[in-house]
């Protein structure tokens, strides 16, 4: 499956963005889909994941502010981010795998979309 991440951009602190992960060459409901991010000068960080059964996990740094969801009809996964903070600034990547897990366990990655949170 090939993934295409989109929806990044510039947002003000406290604002919202919705990222999309669209798929081709496969159906996303067969995969666990995760969002990772990499901020400048920092390690890759797992943000959230949604399993094939719909269960979700969130990093403590975003819990309560972001929501991952699926739209199987559109073969897409979304990341709704609210109450954005400057420390959310990063390139965000979606990834597909059999299970939610460590980054090396995902078999397909999108190209990344840049989120910048700044006033």
């Amino acid at each position: 499956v090939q993934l295409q991440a989109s929806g990044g951009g510039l947002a003000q602190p406290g604002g919202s963005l919705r990222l999309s992960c669209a798929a081709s060459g496969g159906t996303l409901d067969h995969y666990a889909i995760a969002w990772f991010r990499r901020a400048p000068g920092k390690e890759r960080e797992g943000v959230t994941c949604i399993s094939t059964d719909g269960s979700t996990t969130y990093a403590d740094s975003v819990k309560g502010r972001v929501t991952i969801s699926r739209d199987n009809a559109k073969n897409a996964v979304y990341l709704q981010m609210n109450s954005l903070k400057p420390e959310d600034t990063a390139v965000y990547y979606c990834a597909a795998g059999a299970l939610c897990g460590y980054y090396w366990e995902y078999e397909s990655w999108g190209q990344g979309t840049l989120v910048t949170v700044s006033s």
Side-chain angles (χ1 to χ4, degrees):
V1 64
Q2 291 78 48
L3 304 179
Q4 177 83 26
S6 61
L10 176 64
Q12 292 191 339
S16 298
L17 282 174
R18 189 178 80 153
L19 307 185
S20 299
C21 181
S24 60
T27 51
L28 285 187
D29 60 356
H30 294 169
Y31 296 90
I33 304 298
W35 285 93
F36 289 82
R37 66 185 181 185
R38 176 168 277 170
K42 294 190 176 180
E43 297 281 330
R44 178 175 10 206
E45 175 189 17
V47 177
T48 180
C49 185
I50 185 166
S51 300
T52 53
D53 65 1
S55 60
T56 57
T57 59
Y58 296 94
D60 288 343
S61 58
V62 302
K63 201 170 290 183
R65 299 189 298 117
V66 308
T67 303
I68 189 171
S69 61
R70 292 182 182 270
D71 186 335
N72 292 335
K74 295 184 178 180
N75 204 24
V77 169
Y78 303 103
L79 179 63
Q80 178 67 44
M81 301 193 297
N82 301 321
S83 302
L84 285 165
K85 303 177 180 180
E87 51 262 44
D88 294 320
T89 295
V91 178
Y92 285 72
Y93 301 87
C94 57
L99 299 169
C100 292
Y102 294 102
Y103 73 87
W104 59 82
E105 297 178 293
Y106 293 89
E107 58 191 79
S108 297
W109 290 80
Q111 84 290 358
T113 186
L114 176 63
V115 170
T116 303
V117 183
S118 175
S119 56

